[in-house]
Amino acid sequence: MSVRRLSHVVLETPDVQREVEHYERVIGLIELGRDGSTVHLGMPLGALAITIQKGPHARPRRVVCKIDSDTDLSSAARTLRDHGVSSEVKNSPYPGIASTLSFQGPDDLVVDLFSSAESQQRRSGSENPIKLGHAAFCTQSLNATVSFYKKVLGFRFSDSIEDLFVWLRCNSDHHTLNFLSGKRAGLHHLAFEFLDRTRLLDACEVLGSHDIDIAYGPARAGPGHNLHVYHRAPDGYLIEFFAELDQMSDEESGCFDPRPWHRDKPQRPKVWKREGDRLAIWGAPPPADFLE
């Protein structure tokens, strides 16, 4: 069983309306549905990105991923059972998704899997961002968490910064889930992909129009080599806007598609060193609180 893409994440917040307004006004998401105080947000083309629900604390609750379309959820449940993971098929609360296979992952984070979804009606709105590209979480058990997602869900190693930060992929994108060794578990950042660098710059102008400070960037990363800009959501976690992420279009080659800014030729998955490796191709280093 292999995950094919990240669909969306479910976040709890004490102030649903404040978070929804930020995602709509600043990021350009639109409402795809709601149930009471739970709001589903996504792209104008209909793809889900965020589900926001009422809760006592700002925290991530669920990660929702798509598996192969020809994989039956009952068969996936048997595969999970072989790994010692108990799961349950449930009616889905998400627009366009009939049912999910739900189970408890590391760090009190529930994982929901689905194999098929109905196309949602296209809505009016900006064409950017084009998708929720990845999600990054802090964990107190980095090795165990990474092992879980690799062995149970088929994620593959892309890069790491020693024993601090690990990037995992499930398709041609350099990363879909990231895990950061921290003092406590929680959400580190959500990342939205933009079509190109011009639209990424336009997004910076939107931040400026709302008097929102850029927390980090613009810069070009070392691992993943994407252009990125970060700001903070009202609940305090980081939101990344990015473009030009590394791609591995041929898994058998074991290397990422060549890009002019690669320092290694070919660029293969590797362990980057905190000291000695240039962790950004260009741009100012991250602020002191970036890894908190």
Side-chain angles (χ1 to χ4, degrees):
M1 180 177 63
S2 295
V3 168
R4 293 307 179 191
R5 65 176 175 86
L6 172 66
S7 172
H8 60 288
V9 298
V10 179
L11 304 178
E12 279 189 358
T13 177
D15 192 334
V16 171
Q17 189 57 36
R18 183 182 66 170
E19 291 297 305
V20 168
E21 288 180 358
H22 183 83
Y23 280 104
E24 290 180 334
R25 294 187 301 109
V26 177
I27 301 177
L29 303 188
I30 62 171
E31 183 176 319
L32 298 179
R34 68 169 60 211
D35 181 11
S37 62
T38 298
V39 182
H40 306 285
L41 300 172
M43 312 302 166
L45 291 179
L48 281 163
I50 305 287
T51 292
I52 300 176
Q53 61 187 33
K54 184 75 172 180
H57 310 290
R59 58 178 177 171
R61 298 303 292 145
R62 312 175 88 93
V63 175
V64 187
C65 297
K66 185 182 184 303
I67 57 177
D68 286 321
S69 299
D70 57 357
T71 299
D72 180 78
L73 293 184
S74 298
S75 174
R78 290 192 294 270
T79 300
L80 291 173
R81 196 179 309 122
D82 292 340
H83 288 281
V85 178
S86 58
S87 60
E88 182 181 3
V89 176
K90 298 181 177 181
N91 292 330
S92 168
Y94 311 121
I97 300 174
S99 58
T100 60
L101 180 64
S102 301
F103 56 95
Q104 188 68 55
D107 296 318
D108 198 31
L109 196 63
V110 176
V111 179
D112 290 337
L113 303 179
F114 68 94
S115 58
S116 62
E118 296 180 1
S119 298
Q120 297 298 290
Q121 182 179 0
R122 180 169 182 157
R123 317 290 179 88
S124 61
S126 168
E127 294 183 0
N128 277 296
I130 59 176
K131 69 178 181 182
L132 175 66
H134 58 271
F137 301 94
C138 296
T139 177
Q140 294 175 295
S141 305
L142 183 63
N143 291 337
T145 299
V146 169
S147 178
F148 177 90
Y149 283 93
K150 289 172 64 178
K151 291 181 179 180
V152 177
L153 295 176
F155 281 83
R156 303 178 291 281
F157 173 84
S158 283
D159 277 310
S160 71
I161 301 175
E162 297 181 352
D163 57 353
L164 176 67
F165 213 142
V166 178
W167 288 260
L168 300 177
R169 70 184 186 279
C170 65
N171 49 41
S172 61
D173 287 354
H174 177 274
H175 52 279
T176 301
L177 292 180
N178 312 347
F179 296 99
L180 169 67
S181 180
K183 296 179 181 179
R184 60 186 178 89
L187 180 64
H188 184 263
H189 71 266
L190 298 176
F192 293 89
E193 183 174 8
F194 283 72
L195 183 63
D196 53 34
R197 61 182 67 186
T198 299
R199 287 159 175 87
L200 189 65
L201 183 60
D202 290 342
C204 294
E205 298 289 1
V206 173
L207 293 176
S209 70
H210 289 90
D211 293 325
I212 297 174
D213 290 333
I214 291 176
Y216 175 30
R220 183 177 292 282
H225 295 93
N226 50 289
L227 298 172
H228 59 229
V229 173
Y230 291 83
H231 73 277
R232 290 200 179 273
D235 273 341
Y237 52 83
L238 289 163
I239 294 179
E240 177 188 1
F241 296 159
F242 75 93
E244 300 182 355
L245 181 69
D246 276 351
Q247 300 288 309
M248 187 180 288
S249 57
D250 181 6
E251 277 287 336
E252 293 186 3
S253 73
C255 58
F256 297 101
D257 301 347
R259 296 291 184 263
W261 40 82
H262 286 171
R263 301 292 173 85
D264 297 343
K265 301 181 185 298
Q267 187 72 52
R268 300 182 183 276
K270 71 175 187 178
V271 177
W272 298 67
K273 305 298 182 183
R274 296 194 213 186
E275 302 294 336
D277 280 337
R278 186 175 178 87
L279 299 178
I281 302 303
W282 55 262
D289 64 350
F290 180 73
L291 297 181
E292 294 182 0

